[in-house]
């Protein structure tokens, strides 16, 4: 079979094309030849977090790789056969460990296995561990996947040092259902904190109570273990499709402002009225293309659109269909 | 379908793939202020050393972190934090004995020692010297030692995050790329101030010369007696005198000026008054009193070069001045006093001059208590490269521009300078070559054509080619010489020259195969040399003949 030629400049560009391509190359067994990786960015080519993703994907399917070098603009990835196994990846703080998890998870769904990742678990640049645990994994379960995740230590930016494990039993994906209409459910909030005063969490929760009217029994401060300081406000919406928004605290940013950021994200999700939120849509595209089914989401971000194009390059132009429907979009496979 | 783009990219990929396994090693000082912080809040601040580990486009395999004993705890924490943000990295701590990070001499000595003992592996590792942390003096020394290629490295500068960003940034500066003018300017003033030490920092590799310098330094620091420097023209006697002056000055053993006199220019009537001064009206034309050079050197250092050229009267007066620290200016009846350290230089055999009655025996006995003989450049081939760096620096400073030499030009020049060149006038020839190249170099950057032209010029001057042929003709005879290609002649001539300069076949072998020797597990250079000679129907004895 011919290699798949992927132009890194397409659409939004960036690391997502790479991550999706790596996963699909491993799953389809087709050689990936990617060029112009992250061309046009301030620091073009592969950065450390991308290299880690390449190495992780290669480890899961015994791939032969050329061009896996820092700042490399071209990559050739010749996948072997994915095998069940136990892997451990140690990642620095600057890139997110969650993005590496995102790269390898589709491969794990096929063959099963256990992957332990150390590094940043709570980091502005990617949905945090809790999103994977409370939103993405339950949706995969609906498609028949048997996935469990466990956080042993949170790794907040910039100290990193988090530690989590993903366990997957091999399974055949079935079509996604029940993701077309939104039934709102219970709303709960929590303020995660570590190595910062508990009063920060209390102030954040007070904002969630007053702005979103969440009753106090569903608001809790949540202290976690980590090697560096960290704080985040999360609101969980347990509707027909779960959604979790996260706003990160940062030194010099008032607790109230962090909480209001989370409130604004909740309102934006509710205003669109589609069950599948922006980040979940992005992550569901590969499982959907592999297992079939459909979901309704808001207008696709350019990030998601690029992702759709990359998936089509591997699985064919009909692998995913995107149809606008009123103010929302239906994605089906 | 593979697009044309892909093909081009993969061609590129393959062409770059030579360095794929190159490791990146950072050398730097622990920042006692900038890297400081033990509590959780340390993560909120920019710490330059940690920042290196957080760069998304820089992967560091190893960090060599120097620190003072007092900061051991901080160093350990920084090492742990570094590995946490960059698990791919290894951090090695180097506890130094540095007492005062602001003492130029001490810091320079420490880093120079580190650079010379560090096992640089340029085939497998590339080095970055981090100059953002450490005292200002440490930064300057790092810069100088990198510029002089004691650290075969590029410079790594880290900067704090810009407003609205989380991560700081970094910049890699290649001093070979003459694009570092701004940085060079930043250090220019400091360099002026430390020029004396920079001279001391020419990393001379010749063991003989280094031993000489060491004992010379001991002598001038422990004794105030005169020192005599012997050596051929251009061996660097004046330079060494200036270096001694700088050394004494840094140890606060000198307060007065350095007065340099070439005695060859002092012959005749004016010599006496130039050296010892005169009173107003002492002789016709003495319209005003003159202090004299010896008096001017009061409290400082007097360097009398070509001391053998001094007249007998002046010699007598000088002896008096050395012994009593007093002398009589011309036309004066009052002695003046001057306390000075004395260094004399000569390229003449002063004992022969004594025998001929041209030099006072008692003066010689007074000035040659500590005599040091300087080898010429041709006897110190291993010192040519450090001296090239020094000369580039010096000539550049004199011309008021950054003088650089690109890699190719540098390699070509060094090859010529260390193998083929004879340097008959030693450092004077060498210096002149650099000055000519600096003058002809486009934009202060010496390139390959400039070097080639200079080599041609030197060859013509020394007419070395005829020498080569002459030496081989005796050995091989005219017929066999005629059969040899010019290519082989040059090689054989050099081999023969090395053999004649070496004590044994093994010593010659070591010199001739010095470069590859380090890379080989087993060495049998003597055997290689023996076989080479055999191919030309020669052996050790006949070559030495």
């Amino acid at each position: 079979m011919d290699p798949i030629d992927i132009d890194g400049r397409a659409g939004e560009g960036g690391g997502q094309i790479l991550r999706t391509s790596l996963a699909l190359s491993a799953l389809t067994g087709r050689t990936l030849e990617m060029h112009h990786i992250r061309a046009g960015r301030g620091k073009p080519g592969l950065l450390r977090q991308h290299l880690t993703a390449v190495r992780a994907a290669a480890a899961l399917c015994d791939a032969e790789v050329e061009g896996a070098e820092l700042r490399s603009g071209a990559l050739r990835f010749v996948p072997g056969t994915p095998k069940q196994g136990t892997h451990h990846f140690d990642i620095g703080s600057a890139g997110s460990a969650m993005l590496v998890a995102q790269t390898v998870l589709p491969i794990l769904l096929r063959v099963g296995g256990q992957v332990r990742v150390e590094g940043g678990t709570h980091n502005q640049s990617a949905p945090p561990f809790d999103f994977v645990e409370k939103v993405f994994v339950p949706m995969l379960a609906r498609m028949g996947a048997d996935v469990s995740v466990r956080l042993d230590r949170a790794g907040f930016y910039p100290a990193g040092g988090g530690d989590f494990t993903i366990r997957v039993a091999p399974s055949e994906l079935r079509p996604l259902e029940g993701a077309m209409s939104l039934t709102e459910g219970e709303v709960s909030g929590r303020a995660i904190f570590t190595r910062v005063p508990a009063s920060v969490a209390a102030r954040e929760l007070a904002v969630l109570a007053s702005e979103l009217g969440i009753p106090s029994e569903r608001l809790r401060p949540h202290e976690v273990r980590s090697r560096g300081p960290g704080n985040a406000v999360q609101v969980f919406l347990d509707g027909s499709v779960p959604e979790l928004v996260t706003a990160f605290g940062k030194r010099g940013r008032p607790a109230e402002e962090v909480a209001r950021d989370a409130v604004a994200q909740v309102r934006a999700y509710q205003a669109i009225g589609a069950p599948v939120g922006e980040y979940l849509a992005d992550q569901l595209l590969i499982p959907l293309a592999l297992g079939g089914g459909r979901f309704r989401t808001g207008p696709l971000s350019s990030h998601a659109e690029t992702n759709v194009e990359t998936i089509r390059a591997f699985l064919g132009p009909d692998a995913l269909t995107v149809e606008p429907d009123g103010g929302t979009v239906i994605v089906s496979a | 379908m593979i697009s044309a783009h892909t093909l081009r990219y993969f061609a590129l990929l393959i062409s770059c793939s030579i360095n794929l396994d190159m490791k990146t090693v950072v050398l730097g000082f622990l920042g006692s202020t900038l890297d400081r912080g033990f509590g959780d809040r340390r993560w909120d601040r920019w710490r330059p050393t940690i920042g290196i580990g957080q760069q998304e486009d820089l992967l560091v395999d190893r960090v060599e972190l120097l620190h003072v004993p007092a900061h051991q705890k901080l160093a350990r924490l920084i090492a742990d934090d570094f590995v946490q943000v960059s698990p791919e990295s290894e951090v090695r701590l180097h506890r130094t004995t540095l007492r005062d990070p602001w003492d130029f001499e001490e810091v320079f000595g420490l880093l120079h020692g580190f650079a010379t003992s560090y096992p640089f592996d340029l085939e497998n590792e590339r080095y970055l010297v981090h100059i953002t942390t450490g005292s200002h003096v440490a930064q300057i020394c790092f810069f100088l030692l990198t510029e002089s290629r004691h650290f075969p490295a590029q410079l790594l500068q880290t900067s704090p995050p810009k407003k609205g960003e989380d991560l700081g940034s970094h910049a890699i500066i290649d001093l070979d790329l003459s694009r570092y003018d701004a940085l060079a300017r930043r250090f220019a003033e400091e360099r002026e101030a430390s020029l004396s030490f920079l001279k001391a920092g020419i990393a001379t590799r010749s063991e003989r010369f280094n031993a000489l310098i060491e004992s010379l330094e001991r002598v001038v620091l422990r004794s105030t007696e005169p020192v005599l420097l012997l050596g051929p023209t251009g061996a660097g006697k004046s330079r060494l005198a200036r270096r001694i002056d700088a050394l004494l000055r840094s140890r606060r053993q000198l307060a007065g000026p350095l007065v340099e006199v070439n005695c060859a220019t002092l012959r005749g009537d004016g010599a006496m008054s130039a050296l010892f001064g005169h009173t107003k009206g002492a002789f016709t034309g003495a319209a005003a009193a003159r202090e004299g050079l010896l008096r001017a050197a009061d409290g400082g250092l007097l360097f009398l070069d070509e001391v053998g050229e001094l007249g007998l009267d002046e010699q007598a007066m000088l002896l008096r001045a050395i012994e009593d620290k007093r002398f009589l200016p011309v036309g004066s009846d009052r002695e003046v006093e001057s306390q000075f350290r004395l260094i004399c230089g000569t390229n003449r055999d002063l004992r022969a001059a004594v025998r001929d009655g041209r030099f006072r025996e008692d003066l010689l006995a007074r000035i040659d208590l500590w005599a040091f003989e300087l080898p010429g450049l041709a006897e110190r081939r291993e010192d040519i490269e450090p001296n090239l760096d020094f000369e580039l620096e010096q000539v550049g400073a004199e011309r008021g521009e950054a003088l650089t030499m690109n890699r190719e030009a540098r390699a070509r020049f060094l090859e010529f300078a260390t193998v083929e060149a004879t340097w008959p006038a030693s450092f004077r020839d060498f210096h002149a070559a650099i000055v000519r190249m600096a003058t002809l170099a486009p934009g202060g950057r010496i390139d390959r054509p400039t070097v080639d032209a200079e080599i041609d010029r030197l060859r013509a001057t020394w007419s070395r080619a005829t020498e080569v042929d002459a030496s081989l003709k005796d050995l091989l005879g005219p017929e066999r010489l005629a059969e040899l290609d010019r290519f082989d002649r040059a090689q054989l001539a050099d081999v023969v020259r090395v053999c004649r300069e070496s004590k044994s076949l093994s010593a010659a072998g070591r010199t001739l195969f010095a470069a590859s020797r380090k890379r080989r597990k087993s060495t049998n250079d003597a055997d290689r040399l023996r076989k080479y000679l055999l191919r030309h129907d020669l052996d050790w004895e006949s070559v030495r003949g």
Side-chain angles (χ1 to χ4, degrees), chain B residues 288-513:
Chain B
R290 182 175 179 182
E291 186 186 47
L293 295 167
L294 263 70
R295 175 81 185 126
D298 190 17
L301 180 74
L302 177 65
F303 175 52
L304 295 178
D305 202 2
E306 313 286 356
V307 72
E309 305 298 318
L310 219 49
L312 285 169
D313 292 346
E314 287 81 17
Q315 290 178 28
M317 187 79 104
L318 178 63
L319 181 62
R320 175 90 209 283
I322 295 170
E323 290 187 329
D324 302 343
K325 312 286 175 206
R326 308 177 73 83
F327 54 88
L328 208 54
V330 178
S332 172
D333 48 12
R334 278 203 5 239
E335 282 189 331
V336 295
E337 226 186 271
S338 181
Q339 298 267 356
F340 55 86
R341 298 281 301 260
L342 178 66
I343 297 176
C344 298
T346 186
N347 62 349
R348 279 173 58 164
D349 182 350
L350 290 180
R351 296 201 183 280
V354 168
R355 278 197 301 278
D356 297 347
R358 283 183 289 109
F359 204 82
R360 290 181 68 112
E361 190 168 13
D362 48 2
L363 179 61
L364 179 60
R366 203 69 190 77
I367 63 174
D368 85 342
L369 177 63
W370 299 107
F372 295 88
E373 190 166 353
L374 272 64
L377 189 57
E379 296 164 66
R380 292 170 51 199
R381 292 190 181 267
E382 55 273 64
D383 286 346
I384 285 176
E385 183 168 8
N387 273 289
L388 173 62
D389 295 320
F390 177 77
E391 287 292 346
L392 287 172
E393 169 95 8
Q394 279 289 83
V395 173
E398 279 159 22
R399 298 172 59 83
E401 62 182 10
L403 185 59
T404 58
M405 201 167 191
N406 70 36
R407 269 181 229 270
E408 194 198 353
R410 181 186 175 90
R412 175 70 191 111
F413 184 74
L414 282 175
E415 184 199 341
F416 170 79
T418 54
V419 177
E420 186 186 332
T422 51
W423 304 117
S426 210
F427 287 97
R428 203 157 296 166
D429 273 353
F430 190 75
H431 176 75
I434 307 293
V435 169
R436 280 192 296 266
M437 289 195 289
T439 312
L440 298 174
R445 189 152 169 77
I446 299 173
D447 56 11
R448 180 66 193 261
T450 314
V451 167
D452 286 341
E454 179 59 27
I455 291 175
D456 288 344
R457 197 179 297 114
L458 289 171
R459 273 187 186 140
T461 314
W462 303 332
S463 42
R464 173 140 179 85
T466 55
E467 267 179 62
V468 165
D469 287 355
S471 73
L472 290 181
K473 203 188 231 166
D474 291 342
L475 202 59
L476 301 171
E479 286 94 341
R480 272 166 67 201
L481 181 62
E483 281 168 26
L484 271 186
D485 282 331
R486 181 173 174 179
F487 182 88
D488 293 311
R489 264 187 235 175
Q491 188 180 32
L492 184 58
D494 190 53
V495 168
V496 167
R497 188 164 60 79
V498 171
C499 288
R500 286 177 176 165
E501 284 167 9
S502 304
K503 285 199 191 82
S504 65
L505 186 71
S506 302
R510 276 195 299 278
T511 308
L512 287 163
F513 299 110

Side-chain angles (χ1 to χ4, degrees), chain A residues 93 158-160 227-229, chain B residues 29-55 65 73-85 130 132-133 158-161 166-169:
Chain A
S93 65
R227 287 182 178 161
Chain B
F29 261 112
L30 175 72
S32 55
T33 311
L34 289 176
D35 284 335
R36 197 162 192 84
F38 292 95
D40 288 333
R41 300 279 287 270
R42 71 184 188 275
W43 290 106
D44 297 332
R45 280 195 307 109
W46 172 67
R47 292 177 291 167
T49 300
I50 296 302
I52 298 169
Q54 292 173 317
Q55 299 296 304
L65 195 62
K73 193 176 153 212
L74 178 63
R76 290 212 177 114
L77 181 70
I78 287 290
D80 288 347
D81 282 354
F82 196 98
V83 174
Q84 186 171 315
V85 300
H130 186 213
T132 306
T133 47
T158 50
S159 322
D166 281 331
L167 275 181
S169 57

Side-chain angles (χ1 to χ4, degrees), chain A residues 92-171:
Chain A
S93 65
S96 167
M98 304 317 298
L99 292 175
V100 173
Q102 210 185 84
T103 310
V104 298
L105 196 52
I107 310 173
L108 288 175
L109 290 177
R110 165 82 57 84
V111 294
Q114 178 176 318
V115 171
R116 178 177 166 206
V117 193
E118 288 185 78
T121 57
H122 291 76
N123 173 328
Q124 196 84 271
S125 65
F129 175 84
D130 318 274
F131 180 87
V132 173
E133 180 188 29
K134 289 183 168 15
V135 179
F136 187 45
V137 167
M139 292 305 282
L140 289 174
R142 275 190 209 183
M143 298 180 75
D146 183 357
V147 181
S148 66
V149 291
R150 188 186 75 223
L151 182 69
D152 287 311
R153 188 171 53 237
F156 277 88
Y157 183 85
D163 188 349
F164 68 94
T165 302
I166 305 175
R167 255 194 218 93
V168 183
S171 50

